[in-house]
Amino acid sequence: MILDKIKNPSDIKKLSLNEKKILSEEIRDIILKTVSENGGHLASNLGVVELTIALLSYLDLDKDKIIWDVGHQCYTYKLLTGRKDKFNTLRKTGGISGFPRSNESNYDFFDVGHSSTSISVALGMARAISIKKEKKKVVAIIGDGALTSGLAMEALNDAGISKTNLIVILNDNKMSISKNTGGLSQFLSHLRTRKTYVKLNSIIRKIVTNIPFIGKYLYKIVAYIKKRIKGLFIKNMYFENIGYTYLGPVNGHNISDMINILKSTNNIDGPILLHVITKKGKGYLKSELEPNKYHAVSPFDINKGLINKHNETYSDIVGNTLVKLAKNDKRIVAVTAAMAEGTGLSNFKKHYPKRFYDVEICEEHALTMSSGMAKEGMIPFVAIYSTFIQRGYDEIIHDICLNDCHVVLLVDRAGNTGNDGETHHGIYDLSFLKTIPNLVIMAPKDAFELYLMIKFSINYHHPIAIRYPKGNIININENKKILLGKSEILKEGRDITILAVGKMVQRSLNISHKLSNDNIDAEVINIRFIKPFDYDTVIQSFNKTHLLVTIEDNDYEYGFAEIITKYINQDKVKSFGYPDTFISHGNISDLEKKYHLDEDSLYNEIIDFYQKNKQV
Ligand SMILES: Cc1ncc(C[n+]2csc(CCOP(=O)(O)OP(=O)(O)O)c2C)c(N)n1
């Protein structure tokens, strides 16, 4: 294997073009095999194999920096920067991460997982390098999906006038997870047709810069004239107009063209935008045909491809419930930030395309736009993953809650989300949402309660958030009517009270049954409302049992438990959840064991807590 020759990223420079082509096929096979076994991001990775090889052929990673946007497309990079032997552990507990992680390799220059940060980070680095008068190249690689975010636009705007040496590579595959929808994608599709321009560009550059002494200066003059001429042909040369030298578009699967165009940047000062066209899912026909389906996958059979059937998830419940309720309620609209499939809203889109809004990767805009719709009498349901709604903290405070807008926040993937790791766990939403005035926060114990909460949220004419976990649904078959701020006592007891949030309710019920065998009579309360908090029910229960346990799928130090310890003597409360630290990737159940949140660990810890307190 050619890949075995790569001990160090600089070894790629020693390969012939033909060897690089063979290398790209070897890498595709490894990525496909590994992702089919471990799950992960497939289509985006298959699309950037040649681009990564070209970049490593050009850059010197002992000094230069590559900053990946989102980081979900870093598999080729990992294989070529020392992680080939561990690649079979991708995303597994204790294995390598599916995203760049600086604690994994010195070649991962910035930890990432959320979208649209690369240009800001790269510009910051480039500015620092310039202050230090060092000679290092900085390259940001951003997809056309990630480019739609406000953060990327802000960075693009700042870098454009910065005169800082920086290369922004726009990896344009026409797709976010779904197809891009906004005006920017229309603009890019116009640029994509400019194929001949690349060749002309590199030929001029080669001839002129080879002229001794004055070559570089002459090139600047030629480039200026060329820019003017180009402006005549290409309407709205947006990138040039905001300060970039625009290069491309170049075929992102042609290694030699890409190396040439990268080399041609050596003579250009200031920010460069290199437009690279790639095919998402390249090399595996099924993912080429349905790149959205193969964006992020669970393990699958390579020959058969992904099977359409899956067990029903909480996101499905959300999609189905909204479809049902929207039939007779024209006020209901659904909003997503580029996650129609993941959040279950693609179903809503099918039924009510005119009441469905995919605003692309713009969580902040999704929230503020929804506040405007609410002011005009609509009821926007905004479905955003817990980890991505972190982006919208101010919009929830300032636009939704201060303005008392009837917006329903559907906080999907709340809690431990497993294999994507630090950047994707939804374990902070209870901590930060609970600080926001005028926001009601609910967490259902099961699928039916999620349905009831969505119904409840329609008749509650103020800001409201419902958080629910990743994964298959459960049903507990016990549902008292939902009343604002009222929790639900699921099992009465006299020895100890267990306050459980969302997914942890079923686990708490199971534990309480085990405890009965030890003659410990536990009361189990489904908290339902984190805010407003049902102080009366909890205090009544505590006055009876004198011991409290809280269990949540969130950071417990600043999450739900913090509300309890405000009211109740801390010695009498034992809290379970995730500690105040970043939680790495791994199977959900492995991580739960590690943090003592699985049923057995919780049971043992609760017995221990009970016995210690009984002795006192
Ligand atoms: C803030 C944020 N919102 C949503 C996501 C989920 N997400 C991961 S990749 C992706 C699409 C990225 O599209 P693009 O940048 O074009 O890259 P491609 O996958 O097409 O290569 C989305 C929406 C995220 N990672 N971060």
Side-chain angles (χ1 to χ4, degrees):
M1 286 239 290
I2 309 255
L3 183 58
D4 293 330
K5 292 190 193 173
I6 314 293
K7 307 282 179 230
N8 187 299
S10 62
D11 293 336
I12 294 160
K13 294 182 204 284
K14 298 175 199 153
L15 301 179
S16 68
L17 181 60
N18 200 37
E19 285 176 313
K20 286 177 188 170
K21 286 182 186 166
I22 299 170
L23 177 65
S24 61
E25 291 318 310
E26 291 175 0
I27 287 175
R28 274 212 171 79
D29 286 348
I30 295 175
I31 289 176
L32 181 57
K33 181 173 177 295
T34 310
V35 175
S36 73
E37 287 166 4
N38 297 12
H41 287 89
L42 184 64
S44 315
N45 278 292
L46 292 178
V48 297
V49 178
E50 289 86 0
L51 171 59
T52 312
I53 292 174
L55 272 169
L56 298 192
S57 303
Y58 169 64
L59 296 171
D60 174 1
L61 286 197
D62 289 332
K63 57 182 181 65
D64 301 335
K65 302 278 191 304
I66 294 184
I67 305 299
W68 296 99
D69 206 282
V70 184
H72 63 313
Q73 72 292 59
C74 66
Y75 297 178
T76 302
Y77 185 76
K78 292 212 173 196
L79 284 165
L80 296 174
T81 54
R83 282 157 281 179
K84 170 173 63 76
D85 296 335
K86 292 185 197 151
F87 199 69
N88 62 340
T89 68
L90 183 76
R91 304 173 80 248
K92 290 188 164 176
T93 312
I96 61 167
S97 167
F99 291 88
R101 289 290 174 262
S102 46
N103 62 6
E104 190 181 288
S105 164
N106 289 337
Y107 294 115
D108 287 359
F109 302 112
F110 204 80
D111 289 23
V112 65
H114 289 195
S115 155
S116 316
T117 60
S118 64
I119 307 176
S120 300
V121 174
L123 176 61
M125 286 179 168
R127 280 182 165 145
I129 287 165
S130 156
I131 292 169
K132 294 188 287 177
K133 296 196 185 339
E134 289 175 351
K135 290 252 169 279
K136 293 177 185 172
K137 296 185 173 68
V138 185
V139 179
I141 299 153
I142 183 161
D144 52 322
L147 192 68
T148 60
S149 152
L151 178 56
M153 289 292 164
E154 289 165 29
L156 209 58
N157 179 45
D158 187 14
I161 47 94
S162 70
K163 297 195 164 56
T164 308
N165 287 341
L166 163 74
I167 302 175
V168 176
I169 295 188
L170 170 57
N171 169 26
D172 180 2
N173 57 22
K174 302 187 201 157
M175 301 286 294
S176 186
I177 293 178
S178 319
K179 258 204 160 344
N180 278 316
T181 50
L184 186 69
S185 80
Q186 286 177 19
F187 167 66
L188 291 180
S189 86
H190 176 69
L191 284 187
R192 270 179 221 125
T193 56
R194 310 297 304 171
K195 290 221 167 71
T196 49
Y197 179 72
V198 181
K199 289 240 158 61
L200 183 70
N201 198 35
S202 52
I203 291 165
I204 295 174
R205 181 164 297 130
K206 221 178 231 166
I207 296 169
V208 178
T209 51
N210 278 342
I211 301 172
F213 306 114
I214 58 163
K216 198 173 168 185
Y217 302 101
L218 199 56
Y219 177 73
K220 278 190 181 165
I221 297 168
V222 173
Y224 177 79
I225 297 167
K226 197 161 51 70
K227 192 166 152 182
R228 294 287 156 256
I229 295 170
K230 195 165 45 163
L232 294 177
F233 293 108
I234 305 176
K235 266 196 269 162
N236 302 323
M237 269 310 302
Y238 174 66
F239 297 118
E240 297 264 351
N241 290 342
I242 63 166
Y244 290 79
T245 300
Y246 169 84
L247 299 177
V250 61
N251 175 357
H253 302 296
N254 185 322
I255 297 175
S256 123
D257 273 6
M258 271 187 298
I259 294 176
N260 284 337
I261 204 163
L262 282 166
K263 281 185 182 159
S264 78
T265 63
N266 287 344
N267 301 306
I268 303 173
D269 286 329
I272 296 166
L273 190 128
L274 171 53
H275 190 176
V276 175
I277 310 288
T278 59
K279 181 148 194 66
K280 197 158 176 171
K282 170 96 175 158
Y284 177 56
L285 188 62
K286 292 179 196 302
S287 65
E288 283 190 21
L289 294 174
E290 292 185 289
N292 58 339
K293 212 168 126 183
Y294 287 86
H295 177 86
V297 295
S298 305
F300 67 98
D301 181 319
I302 296 178
N303 295 319
K304 293 187 189 143
L306 284 170
I307 315 280
N308 273 331
K309 264 197 187 151
H310 68 271
N311 295 327
E312 199 167 24
T313 63
Y314 288 94
S315 312
D316 294 330
I317 299 290
V318 163
N320 297 340
T321 305
L322 290 181
V323 166
K324 196 167 148 192
L325 298 176
K327 191 167 175 219
N328 296 320
D329 191 339
K330 301 276 180 273
R331 299 169 303 167
I332 293 179
V333 295
V335 182
T336 176
M339 303 298 284
E341 276 86 8
T343 54
L345 291 189
S346 45
N347 191 13
F348 189 94
K349 177 186 174 184
K350 238 187 278 159
H351 285 81
Y352 311 105
K354 294 205 171 119
R355 285 194 271 158
F356 168 82
Y357 303 90
D358 179 350
V359 300
E360 305 198 316
I361 313 179
C362 306
E363 288 79 7
E364 294 153 82
H365 165 59
L367 293 160
T368 302
M369 195 273 291
S370 296
S371 69
M373 294 194 97
K375 281 284 180 197
E376 284 299 319
M378 297 292 131
I379 308 176
F381 284 80
V382 196
I384 299 180
Y385 288 10
S386 165
T387 189
F388 303 140
I389 213 167
Q390 288 165 198
R391 286 259 160 114
Y393 184 55
D394 182 54
E395 284 72 10
I396 299 173
I397 296 176
H398 179 271
D399 303 318
I400 295 177
C401 292
L402 175 66
N403 283 285
D404 196 21
C405 294
H406 185 190
V407 172
V408 185
L409 307 175
L410 296 164
V411 185
D412 199 334
R413 306 300 197 272
N416 161 6
T417 56
N419 304 81
D420 285 334
E422 294 88 336
T423 50
H424 282 66
H425 294 306
I427 56 174
Y428 310 110
D429 61 85
L430 289 183
S431 319
F432 65 83
L433 289 177
K434 85 179 198 307
T435 67
I436 302 179
N438 197 25
L439 180 66
V440 163
I441 310 168
M442 295 188 279
K445 66 179 178 300
D446 64 7
F448 190 64
E449 196 166 75
L450 174 58
Y451 166 77
L452 293 180
M453 285 180 175
I454 294 174
K455 275 183 78 172
F456 174 87
S457 71
I458 290 178
N459 297 317
Y460 179 76
H461 299 282
H462 308 279
I464 188 160
I466 310 174
R467 59 112 64 184
Y468 45 92
K470 178 180 177 175
N472 299 338
I473 58 162
I474 54 155
N475 267 311
I476 295 177
N477 290 333
E478 168 107 28
N479 273 296
K480 298 191 180 81
K481 189 170 186 282
I482 300 207
L483 297 171
L484 180 65
K486 273 289 171 211
S487 53
E488 182 189 42
I489 300 177
L490 288 173
K491 178 183 170 298
E492 297 205 3
R494 55 189 151 64
D495 296 330
I496 187 165
T497 304
I498 304 178
L499 304 179
V501 181
K503 168 182 169 175
M504 295 305 180
V505 173
Q506 188 195 37
R507 205 160 295 183
S508 303
L509 279 172
N510 295 347
I511 293 166
S512 75
H513 295 133
K514 275 194 196 167
L515 289 172
S516 324
N517 298 333
D518 303 298
N519 283 329
I520 302 173
D521 188 15
E523 179 145 304
V524 179
I525 301 181
N526 167 22
I527 278 300
R528 276 189 168 171
F529 287 84
I530 287 83
K531 245 183 124 176
F533 174 59
D534 189 358
Y535 177 82
D536 290 348
T537 304
V538 171
I539 291 294
Q540 262 174 30
S541 180
F542 178 70
N543 286 343
K544 179 172 60 170
T545 62
H546 307 293
L547 276 185
L548 264 184
V549 166
T550 69
I551 313 181
E552 64 194 295
D553 196 12
N554 191 84
D555 172 330
Y556 74 88
E557 297 188 47
Y558 299 99
F560 167 67
E562 203 189 34
I563 299 178
I564 306 300
T565 46
K566 247 189 355 205
Y567 296 116
I568 291 172
N569 175 357
Q570 293 198 16
D571 296 342
K572 299 290 170 196
V573 181
K574 176 91 183 155
S575 294
F576 299 95
Y578 292 95
D580 180 29
T581 180
F582 291 110
I583 309 295
S584 181
H585 61 280
N587 288 344
I588 290 182
S589 55
D590 290 345
L591 293 174
E592 285 180 346
K593 274 196 190 108
K594 180 169 175 188
Y595 292 101
H596 298 202
L597 284 166
D598 62 300
E599 210 170 289
D600 285 346
S601 312
L602 282 168
Y603 164 73
N604 290 328
E605 297 251 8
I606 291 172
I607 290 234
D608 201 40
F609 174 63
Y610 176 80
Q611 283 170 346
K612 272 188 196 139
N613 275 279
K614 227 174 106 187
Q615 280 156 19
V616 173

